Amino acid sequence: MQWIIVAAVLAATAGLLVLGVLACRLWLDVRALAREVDTASRALAVAAEDLAGGPTGRVTL
């Protein structure tokens, strides 16, 4: 009877370890995605400034 308790504790521990590993991988993926979004938004801002005629937004003729 005592082996059932040990098996349940081991299964719960293994499940928590798997969830911890998945959480770490998710955090790393989200961090990488945030860096890519930041890079893309900065490039988009630079392109918008170029289209607007410079950092002030005024077109000089």
Side-chain angles (χ1 to χ4, degrees), residues 23-45:
C24 289
R25 290 194 56 184
L26 177 66
W27 180 73
L28 290 173
D29 287 343
V30 167
R31 192 175 69 167
L33 180 62
R35 285 183 182 160
E36 291 178 15
V37 168
D38 181 55
T39 302
S41 65
R42 288 178 193 268
L44 187 61

Side-chain angles (χ1 to χ4, degrees), residues 46 48-59:
V46 169
E49 284 181 4
D50 289 345
L51 284 176
T56 60
R58 285 182 265 164
V59 178

Side-chain angles (χ1 to χ4, degrees), residues 1-17:
M1 185 64 141
Q2 204 171 21
W3 62 271
I4 294 175
I5 296 171
V6 173
V9 169
L10 288 176
T13 303
L16 288 175
L17 286 173

